[in-house]
Amino acid sequence: MSSPNIRVLATDLAFPEGPVVMPDGSVVLVEIRAQQLTRVWPDGRKEVVARIPGGPNGAALGPDGKMYITNNGGFSWVPSRGMLMPHAPEPHEYIGGSIQRVDLANGKIETLFTKCGEHNLKGPNDLVFDKQGGLWFSELGKRRARDMDVGGAYYIKPGMTEITEQVIGVLPANGIGAPGEVKPADVIYRGERGRPIAGLGGYQMFDSLAVEASGNVCVATLVSGCISVIAPDGKLVEQISTGDRVTTNIAFGGPELKTAYITLSGRGELIAMDWPRGGLPLNFLNK
């Protein structure tokens, strides 16, 4: 694994995730354990934008200039190797999953959706806007002592008027980053749908992701502590080390989108590093 120069932008974050690189150079992210939306300024100063009960898990800037949040409803936390880590059983404090919207100017929170049809959202995880202003998000579900939810992907139509189920039966669904529509797929086995593109082998796990302009998918990779770069044909291009086994997310910013902003949730840090290729511009953000 190669490891380019790493700059630590913020420390003492309570399980950071969902970085959004803003036009003013700041980075807005969620702190899942602290239950808040936080802005990190270029000088390292941290500002709490909003306190968000439950488990704010991902963030994306919408066409209205507000920040959209996937709320997983809350995790249990247990000590592990000197860190506090999410724990599988659904906590007593669990408040249910939701999609929320935060006004960055005043911190006002609106809850937009808690259900799709008759089905409750259990653990919304990550999200991305398409160019029409529609919102895709992944549903991780929740684990309990003896059973677990199946995950999937949902789409909220432009204007935030209607939520639709697009994929169900993923164990579980995490990062999401590609535009387009979901084609009907045959059931593979036990109800799962879709086509596997890449697997790393060994004890490594994928978390959230970002996409390069070339189409490569950059996936935060747990345990091995890196960003795995995977080509559209599924080949592993490279793995870039971060030094944290709990590397959870990546976003692109800076000139030509060649700076990677990465959340290290084990260490509680937001870091930046030079990236060898440019990122794919996000709708309503990297213009």
Side-chain angles (χ1 to χ4, degrees), residues 19-189:
V20 179
V21 187
M22 302 295 287
D24 62 7
S26 67
V27 179
V28 176
L29 50 76
V30 297
E31 293 185 72
I32 302 177
R33 185 162 53 84
Q35 301 180 341
Q36 63 191 28
L37 184 68
T38 301
R39 187 191 294 264
V40 177
W41 294 97
D43 61 3
R45 180 169 49 94
K46 294 179 290 186
E47 173 191 351
V48 176
V49 177
R51 306 283 184 182
I52 305 176
N57 205 121
L61 191 69
D64 54 3
K66 295 182 179 181
M67 196 65 69
Y68 287 73
I69 305 295
T70 43
N71 193 321
N72 66 43
F75 284 141
S76 296
W77 298 90
V78 296
S80 175
R81 299 190 180 188
M83 303 175 287
L84 283 174
M85 294 292 294
H87 188 46
E90 190 176 285
H92 295 300
E93 300 82 6
Y94 176 64
I95 62 173
S98 63
I99 301 299
Q100 297 174 302
R101 178 167 58 198
V102 178
D103 189 324
L104 295 174
N106 56 26
K108 180 183 177 183
I109 303 168
E110 302 172 76
T111 297
L112 304 178
F113 294 95
T114 59
K115 293 185 174 186
C116 179
E118 62 183 15
H119 301 291
N120 292 328
L121 299 179
K122 294 297 188 70
N125 185 271
D126 209 345
L127 66 170
V128 66
F129 278 95
D130 64 18
K131 63 183 180 181
Q132 288 80 27
L135 180 64
W136 288 93
F137 71 92
S138 57
E139 164 69 80
L140 193 70
K142 287 290 185 183
R143 291 181 179 227
R144 292 161 292 275
R146 295 182 179 274
D147 63 86
M148 64 182 291
D149 303 313
V150 294
Y154 293 80
Y155 182 70
I156 302 175
K157 294 182 178 181
M160 302 294 111
T161 57
E162 182 183 353
I163 182 172
T164 60
E165 183 181 278
Q166 296 292 315
V167 178
I168 197 68
V170 182
L171 296 175
N174 201 303
I176 189 166
E181 299 179 358
V182 177
K183 293 182 178 179
D186 294 332
V187 173
I188 301 173
Y189 177 59

